[in-house]
Amino acid sequence: MFLALRELRFAKVRFGLMGAVVGLIAVLMVMLSGLSVGLVRDGVSGLQNLPVTSFAFERDVQHDSAFSRSVVDMSAVDAWRSRPGVAQAAPYGNTLANTKSGRGVDVDLALFGVAPDSFLSPEVGEGSRLKDADGVVVSATALDAGLRVGDTITVARLGTRLRVVGATPRQDTFGHVDVAYVPLRTWQLIKAGAAPGDPVPAHATREITAVAVRAKAGAPVDLAAGDAAAGTESLTLEDSYGASPGYSAETATLQLIQVFLYAISALVVGAFFAVWAIQRKHEVAVLRAMGASRGWLLRDALTQAFLLLVAAVGIGAGIGVGLGSLITGGGMPFALSAPSVTGAAAGLVLLGLAGAGAAVARIASTDPATALGGNR
């Protein structure tokens, strides 16, 4: 500790520049972390807020587009309700629609078809709950887009008129589109493309997107056996996120960028301490000649790196949080999360220590004879 602190005070400019680079990487990492959380929330918060543990889709459906391709018969709901470990099962519909309010506001909505008396019927923070056939409960973020409770919205090309009766108390979005909960029968008519007054195909009233399943607390559900009995193919709630438009591509891209930033941080810190180790080679050798153990030298060097990294990452993360708070709630899908910010900061410190450790390992093997001129 003595040598580490002394060198930090002696080479303030050198360590300051290094700390500034690490701090900038920390700022970028926090911003990317917030963007990742924001994109996930904007893409699948409507699914995250559903009280389900799994969805039973059409058998052999393409997983990355299950919500848009799956067609399941209503009989599968009863099959799943009777399965061991299942607390509740309900029909669920999902489709995207272009709508316009009576005040001329164009709003794209992800229509979630649910039975008003089922466990999928949403809580409301404003207005009333889902009940009437022409009623609709929208995401709280749809109000920011220009909708109001009491508005009448018209589904494009069909002319179906729906009345906004309430809004959820939180953000509910799917594929970056605001969610609107509609009665299942109404959703089936819209999905079938039936305009008001048109005859409705008989099969339309039997078709849903998936069966929403909620397991009993602490009771496992055999999804494979349930699928065999119901003729479906199940995905857990978390696995179903990949069926949201753009979810997998967006998250994979941001995760790859974060991986590269972690690697860059380790390389930058490692390169700095490699150069620093070369410059102080003779001083360290003198300490070795005076009896300092290899472990002591390595601990001293890693302590120096740890102090630098913690200070730089702490300042950088603080700046990142400050900048993030300025854009949270704006048009950009950005959300700060304490676990993600803490995890990013800890990752930078640990990988930076790994890079520094690899660079200064040579210090531990310094030959004391170097300090005595034995290498000349």
Side-chain angles (χ1 to χ4, degrees):
M1 282 289 290
F2 172 77
L3 182 61
L5 294 175
R6 186 179 181 87
E7 287 179 339
L8 286 172
R9 288 195 298 266
F10 175 75
K12 294 178 182 178
V13 175
R14 197 173 305 176
F15 283 101
L17 290 174
M18 182 59 205
V21 172
V22 175
L24 289 174
I25 294 176
V27 172
L28 185 56
M29 186 63 76
V30 170
M31 300 300 288
L32 278 175
S33 175
L35 185 59
S36 297
V37 174
L39 282 172
V40 169
R41 185 174 299 177
D42 208 48
V44 297
S45 61
L47 298 178
Q48 290 175 328
N49 295 330
L50 290 176
V52 305
T53 53
S54 64
F55 286 104
F57 295 98
E58 180 183 357
R59 179 171 291 173
D60 298 326
V61 71
Q62 195 170 327
H63 287 187
D64 60 356
S65 55
F67 287 109
S68 59
R69 294 178 180 271
S70 174
V71 178
V72 177
D73 190 83
M74 285 284 289
S75 60
V77 177
D78 293 329
W80 272 102
R81 282 175 179 158
S82 62
R83 299 303 304 171
V86 173
Q88 291 175 296
Y92 167 80
N94 185 312
T95 192
L96 299 177
N98 304 119
T99 68
K100 176 177 285 189
S101 74
R103 294 182 292 107
V105 179
D106 291 315
V107 181
D108 295 330
L109 295 174
L111 302 182
F112 281 12
V114 301
D117 59 349
S118 73
F119 72 99
L120 295 179
S121 184
E123 299 287 341
V124 295
E126 181 179 347
S128 58
R129 298 191 64 170
L130 202 60
K131 182 178 180 182
D132 299 330
D134 65 342
V136 58
V137 174
V138 300
S139 166
T141 49
L143 303 183
D144 299 331
L147 288 183
R148 297 289 182 272
V149 174
D151 281 355
T152 297
I153 59 176
T154 303
V155 180
R157 295 187 299 277
L158 297 180
T160 304
R161 294 167 65 85
L162 302 171
R163 184 168 49 89
V164 180
V165 298
T168 63
R170 59 189 178 273
Q171 176 181 354
D172 287 274
T173 48
F174 175 80
H176 309 291
V177 177
D178 291 317
V179 169
Y181 294 87
V182 298
L184 183 65
R185 174 72 180 206
T186 303
W187 175 87
Q188 289 171 327
L189 298 179
I190 295 173
K191 177 69 173 178
D198 289 349
V200 181
H203 67 83
T205 60
R206 300 289 307 168
E207 294 178 348
I208 56 177
T209 299
V211 180
V213 177
R214 180 164 68 176
K216 295 178 181 178
V221 177
D222 189 339
L223 297 181
D227 286 332
T232 56
E233 183 169 341
S234 292
L235 293 176
T236 64
L237 178 62
E238 291 75 16
D239 290 339
S240 72
Y241 296 163
S244 173
Y247 175 83
S248 298
E250 291 169 351
T251 54
T253 300
L254 288 174
Q255 287 171 357
L256 183 61
I257 294 174
Q258 287 180 316
V259 168
F260 275 110
L261 277 178
Y262 283 128
I264 289 170
S265 174
L267 289 174
V268 168
V269 175
F272 172 80
F273 279 97
V275 174
W276 183 244
I278 293 173
Q279 291 179 342
R280 61 201 287 257
K281 178 179 180 180
H282 294 292
E283 288 79 2
V284 171
V286 169
L287 290 173
R288 286 283 290 123
M290 294 174 63
S293 66
R294 294 177 180 179
W296 185 91
L297 291 173
L298 189 57
R299 286 194 301 272
D300 185 79
L302 289 178
T303 298
Q304 190 178 75
F306 178 76
L307 294 174
L308 174 66
L309 287 167
V310 169
V313 171
I315 294 173
I319 294 174
V321 170
L323 292 175
S325 64
L326 296 177
I327 62 176
T328 300
M332 182 182 297
F334 187 94
L336 290 170
S337 169
S340 63
V341 172
T342 303
L348 286 176
V349 172
L350 292 176
L351 287 175
L353 280 176
V360 302
R362 61 187 300 172
I363 294 178
S365 59
T366 300
D367 187 356
T370 301
L372 304 176
N375 64 329
R376 297 176 183 172

